[in-house]
């Protein structure tokens, strides 16, 4: 009886849960562990999540301290055949992916399905550069880390332990930012022109606006 009730409750819960389209999260200046735990919960609930700018994520503790911890992690391997793992990823996107994998019970079918809903990237590749990006306030460094504490960027750590594409990602990000700024200035100019035109035609449009307002627009 108890199992039947639990199954019914889970079915109702899943049918009423509202899932959005894939959420794109900008990882810049988020704390690594806090962001990972929140994303893991969302993945297990069935939400698709895309993490961009993983190299801009931060880890508490100085760069030297985190390099030492990573060196200890790299020393862990199978004694008789290191090719069998564990595998030590160097790129920031894969480091983040591996952290979240450890939070979703990845050896179960549910965990495998959850990690399949996650995508991680360095920089902001197409088409995510044209999509609305979100932040997680509960994981922001300025909110969670005490002022004065040491921290380091994941991209700097990855670069120091063998990631070879930091300069390439920085170059591509500079291009993307320049393109984004040009688009924003063009959009702002178009909005100003529209506002000016509406102001000039305000007298002519008064009756039309009244009719539209009465109709609920």
């Amino acid at each position: 009886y108890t199992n039947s009730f639990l199954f019914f409750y889970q079915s109702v819960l899943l049918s009423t849960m509202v899932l959005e389209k894939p959420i794109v999260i900008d990882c810049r200046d988020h704390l690594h562990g806090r962001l990972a735990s929140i994303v893991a919960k969302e993945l297990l609930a069935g939400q698709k999540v895309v993490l961009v700018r993983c190299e801009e994520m931060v880890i508490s503790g100085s760069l030297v301290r985190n390099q030492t911890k990573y060196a200890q992690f790299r020393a862990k391997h199978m004694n008789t055949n290191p090719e069998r793992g564990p595998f030590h990823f160097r790129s920031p996107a894969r480091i983040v992916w591996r952290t979240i994998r450890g939070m979703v019970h990845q050896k179960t079918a549910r965990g495998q399905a959850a990690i399949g809903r996650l995508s991680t990237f360095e920089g902001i590749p197409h088409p995510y550069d044209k999509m609305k990006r979100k932040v997680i306030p509960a994981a922001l460094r300025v909110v969670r880390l005490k002022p004065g504490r040491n921290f380091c960027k994941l991209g700097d750590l990855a670069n120091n332990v063998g990631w070879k594409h930091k300069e390439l990602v920085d170059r591509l990000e500079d291009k993307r930012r320049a393109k984004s700024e040009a688009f924003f200035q063009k959009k702002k100019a178009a909005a100003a022109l529209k506002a000016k035109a509406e102001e000039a035609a305000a007298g002519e449009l008064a009756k039309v606006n009244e009719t539209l307002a009465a109709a609920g627009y």
Side-chain angles (χ1 to χ4, degrees), residues 39-50 97 100-120:
V39 170
K41 277 287 198 184
E42 290 295 315
L43 294 171
L44 287 167
Q47 177 66 55
K48 289 184 179 179
V49 180
V50 178
W97 180 87
I100 295 171
R101 186 188 68 176
M103 298 181 178
V104 296
H105 303 288
Q106 56 104 9
K107 292 189 179 181
T108 65
R110 180 174 178 243
Q112 283 291 307
I115 201 67
R117 298 185 196 104
L118 174 67
S119 300
T120 57

Side-chain angles (χ1 to χ4, degrees), residues 160-184:
N160 288 357
V161 298
W163 182 47
K164 293 179 169 48
H165 304 294
K166 186 175 188 296
E167 290 180 7
L168 172 63
V169 170
D170 289 344
R171 199 161 61 244
L172 291 173
E173 278 294 282
D174 288 340
K175 284 183 182 178
R176 181 194 63 77
R177 276 190 285 267
K179 195 174 176 182
S180 179
E181 179 63 21
F183 171 79
F184 176 67

Side-chain angles (χ1 to χ4, degrees), residues 68-77 86-89 98:
T68 304
K69 288 172 72 175
Y70 194 88
Q72 291 171 346
F73 168 61
R74 280 187 65 182
K76 297 180 190 298
H77 58 81
F87 304 107
H88 315 100
F89 297 119
R98 192 180 195 276

Side-chain angles (χ1 to χ4, degrees), residues 99-164:
T99 303
I100 295 171
R101 186 188 68 176
M103 298 181 178
V104 296
H105 303 288
Q106 56 104 9
K107 292 189 179 181
T108 65
R110 180 174 178 243
Q112 283 291 307
I115 201 67
R117 298 185 196 104
L118 174 67
S119 300
T120 57
F121 298 97
E122 290 97 15
I124 308 179
H126 178 80
Y128 305 113
D129 56 340
K130 301 287 195 301
M131 295 171 68
K132 185 176 179 65
R133 299 183 289 278
K134 299 184 178 181
V135 299
I136 308 294
L140 286 171
R141 176 185 60 83
V142 291
V143 176
R144 287 298 183 182
L145 197 63
K146 186 177 180 181
R149 296 294 191 197
N150 288 329
F151 64 90
C152 67
K153 285 187 179 179
L154 189 55
D156 294 336
L157 174 63
N159 186 53
N160 288 357
V161 298
W163 182 47
K164 293 179 169 48

